[in-house]
């Protein structure tokens, strides 16, 4: 007998709350060297996602970004948070396969360096989504429980 249960007809069926790198690649177009999210470790539909980036010395930017003191560039920390936000947006109803680009970045602050060996844990929350085109999100990245980066991000649907 075929199982026709859906989350609506079977409350015991759970919503997916974690995503592997392969599942993220099904949602986002980013590829090496700009795929900056290794895993989604928590996801609440239409509200927030928590992603992680394992920062290794093998990253392609480290040889040129302060060779004697390798630092993950701040713009790539913001890009990584934006990709976590992209997961939220592409999982909204009717948005699968759509691409949202930066429309603006506000209130950016970098509080501590992100270096090889760190795990950047990024929490991104959807603040608003207007006309199925414009999204505003806030995000923060933590390393070892310490705030590394925080920003508000504006996204626009690209046709």
């Amino acid at each position: 007998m075929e199982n026709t249960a859906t989350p609506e007809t079977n409350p015991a069926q759970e919503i997916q709350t974690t995503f592997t790198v392969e599942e993220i690649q099904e949602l986002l177009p980013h590829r090496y060297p700009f795929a900056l999210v290794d895993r989604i470790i928590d996801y609440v539909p239409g509200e927030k996602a928590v992603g992680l980036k394992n920062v290794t010395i093998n990253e392609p930017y480290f040889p040129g970004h302060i060779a004697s003191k390798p630092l993950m560039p701040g713009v790539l920390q913001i890009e990584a948070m934006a990709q976590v936000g992209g997961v939220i947006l592409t999982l909204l109803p009717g948005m699968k396969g759509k691409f949202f680009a930066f429309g603006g970045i506000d209130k950016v602050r970098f509080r501590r360096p992100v270096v090889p060996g760190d795990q950047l844990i990024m929490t991104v929350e959807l603040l608003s989504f207007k006309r199925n085109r414009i999204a505003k999100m806030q995000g923060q990245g933590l390393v070892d429980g310490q705030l590394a980066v925080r920003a508000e991000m504006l996204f626009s649907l690209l046709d």
Side-chain angles (χ1 to χ4, degrees):
M1 186 165 144
E2 185 178 322
N3 182 358
T4 58
T6 67
E8 294 80 28
T9 62
N10 183 1
Q13 187 175 348
E14 294 184 27
I15 294 171
Q16 183 173 353
T17 60
T18 62
F19 295 83
T20 65
V21 69
E22 292 88 358
E23 291 168 321
I24 294 167
Q25 287 183 337
E26 290 176 16
L27 298 170
L28 302 179
H30 306 83
R31 297 295 181 263
Y32 178 86
F34 279 95
L36 298 174
V37 180
D38 294 319
R39 184 172 303 267
I40 298 295
I41 58 176
D42 189 27
Y43 166 70
V44 178
E47 292 182 25
K48 76 170 189 171
V50 180
L52 69 84
K53 165 70 177 147
N54 292 307
V55 182
T56 73
I57 193 63
N58 297 321
E59 306 290 344
Y61 46 80
F62 280 136
H65 198 255
I66 323 300
S68 64
K69 176 108 174 96
L71 302 171
M72 183 178 186
V75 295
L76 294 181
Q77 294 173 46
I78 299 295
E79 174 64 26
M81 285 196 309
Q83 290 178 23
V84 174
V87 169
I88 297 168
L89 292 172
T90 59
L91 290 170
L92 291 172
M95 295 296 123
K96 186 161 180 145
K98 307 279 184 172
F99 180 74
F100 290 82
F102 270 129
I105 309 168
D106 295 312
K107 301 179 184 175
V108 178
R109 295 290 180 265
F110 301 100
R111 301 291 184 193
R112 64 154 289 181
V114 178
V115 298
D118 285 346
Q119 188 173 68
L120 183 63
I121 307 291
M122 302 160 287
T123 301
V124 178
E125 297 177 66
L126 180 62
L127 300 175
S128 66
F129 188 48
K130 297 180 181 174
R131 299 186 319 262
N132 282 345
R133 299 194 64 76
I134 306 293
K136 184 175 183 181
M137 298 189 171
Q138 67 181 8
Q140 70 174 19
L142 303 177
V143 174
D144 295 329
Q146 297 176 340
L147 183 64
V149 59
R150 175 178 289 158
E152 288 184 0
M153 301 167 286
L154 190 66
F155 298 84
S156 180
L157 178 65
L158 286 184
D159 293 320

